Amino acid sequence: MTLEEGRRVRLAENLGIGEAVAGEPGAVVGFLSLGAGIEGTVERVDGELPESHEVLEYQRLTALFEDYGHTMPAASRERLEAEIAALEPEWAAFRERGKRVTVRVRWDNGFVLDGAHQDVLTAL
């Protein structure tokens, strides 16, 4: 789904926001939640989420292996291969997710949700 400013969206799942505090400092009196199904309008698209440290490290190590692996001593090459293999689950999860963006949404009830992942929204 391509999100753009002005597009109407619906929250696809319940979203817990945080604790409500009143009275004494730190006195929790409730929990704020947005229910699935509320609708709103995208105000801003912030762009792609940055890759995690593990994904960046996987990319760096595989580039190193592809460029210089054939010149490395066997022990160093094996250690590099083991490091790459340890990071492969994170890389696979990143590739499966695809590109993810964050948006600012103004819900019809007046709440504003900033930094929302596109995964929790459906287009109308």
Side-chain angles (χ1 to χ4, degrees):
M1 163 178 65
T2 303
L3 295 176
E4 53 204 28
E5 289 182 26
R7 184 165 195 164
R8 296 284 296 165
V9 293
R10 178 178 293 137
L11 189 61
E13 56 189 69
N14 292 335
L15 187 61
I17 303 297
E19 298 176 338
V21 180
E24 298 177 25
V28 176
V29 296
F31 181 78
L32 182 60
S33 180
L34 294 175
I38 65 169
E39 297 178 0
T41 305
V42 174
E43 288 189 338
R44 183 181 71 232
V45 177
D46 294 326
E48 293 181 27
L49 290 173
E51 292 91 1
S52 68
H53 172 73
E54 290 79 9
V55 168
L56 293 174
E57 185 67 2
Y58 178 87
Q59 292 172 331
R60 185 184 75 79
L61 293 177
T62 54
L64 178 67
F65 183 77
E66 290 169 3
D67 291 343
Y68 301 106
H70 65 284
T71 64
M72 292 180 169
S76 296
R77 186 173 51 249
E78 290 170 5
R79 188 178 77 218
L80 182 57
E81 288 172 339
E83 289 179 25
I84 291 171
L87 294 170
E88 281 181 0
E90 182 72 24
W91 174 250
F94 170 76
R95 297 211 20 144
E96 184 178 306
R97 273 193 313 264
K99 293 183 179 181
R100 295 172 48 172
V101 297
T102 60
V103 297
R104 177 185 173 99
V105 178
R106 180 171 300 276
W107 303 110
D108 294 343
N109 64 7
F111 284 115
V112 174
L113 182 62
D114 201 3
H117 295 224
Q118 71 177 5
D119 298 350
V120 300
L121 305 170
T122 56
L124 298 179

